[in-house]
Amino acid sequence: MGEVLALVEARLRTALGEPDARAAVTFLGTDRIEVLRFAEGDLVRYATLGMSAQPMADPTAALADPVKGPRAELVLTVRAGLADTDKVLRPLAVLAATPQVEGVVVAPGASLDVGDPLWPGAPFTSVLVAESGGLVEDLDLDEPMDPARFLPLLPMTSNEAAWKRVHGAQALEERWLARGTDLRDPLRRSVELD
């Protein structure tokens, strides 16, 4: 477990530089989850560290495999200085603990909801999990372990989350793209949903 997290942290540092802050959260019955903050120009990136220590288990499986199975960390990017986004540390840790707590597999296209604003004044309580491989490359681990993936999180308003449930993740991403939505704006309004 520790070896995997050391490799994951090294990959984050290679892709994003040195973190300028880190915080740790431990929930009853779960492993420790850290959130690292990386500042880059007018952007701030938050990455979880700890979710990939154990493979995510299929909730329908009778027994969880301790070695095989998908592994991931979460990455959120927002524009700096527009909102108190550092308060997202606990909600991010909650989302990263979801596989351990609820026995779910977090994968691209999934919606994750914390039930409260992601940070004070945020119009978002949920996120869309996007495809990995862009900002931080997937990390190959020794066989038979699956690679650790770094999944970007895209904040969604409640209207967008409802629309996504009906039309799907791809349709929402296409809507954002067509409307030129700045998904890094921590105060953005909902995209136009006809």
Side-chain angles (χ1 to χ4, degrees), residues 15-16 40 45 75-77 131-137 150 152 184:
L16 305 176
E40 181 186 322
R45 302 183 198 284
V75 181
L76 173 69
T77 303
E131 288 288 340
S132 68
L135 182 63
V136 183
E137 285 184 38
F150 299 88
R184 296 173 174 174

Side-chain angles (χ1 to χ4, degrees), residues 14 28 46 52 61 78 94 116 127 146 175:
T14 300
L28 189 63
Y46 301 93
S52 62
V78 293
V94 167
D116 290 311
V127 293
D146 289 21
R175 177 63 55 111

Side-chain angles (χ1 to χ4, degrees), residues 25-27 30 33-35 48 51 74 88-102 104 106 112-116 118 125 153:
V25 180
T26 305
F27 303 102
T30 67
I33 302 286
E34 288 188 86
V35 180
T48 63
M51 183 176 166
L74 307 175
V88 78
L89 300 177
R90 185 165 179 78
L92 270 181
V94 167
L95 295 177
T98 302
Q100 288 183 59
V101 174
E102 297 181 19
V104 297
V106 176
L112 302 174
D113 196 316
V114 293
D116 290 311
L118 293 174
T125 63
L153 299 181

Side-chain angles (χ1 to χ4, degrees), residues 5-26:
L5 292 184
L7 294 170
V8 166
E9 183 170 354
R11 176 57 54 97
L12 286 168
R13 287 172 184 263
T14 300
L16 305 176
E18 286 299 310
D20 65 351
R22 66 193 307 147
V25 180
T26 305

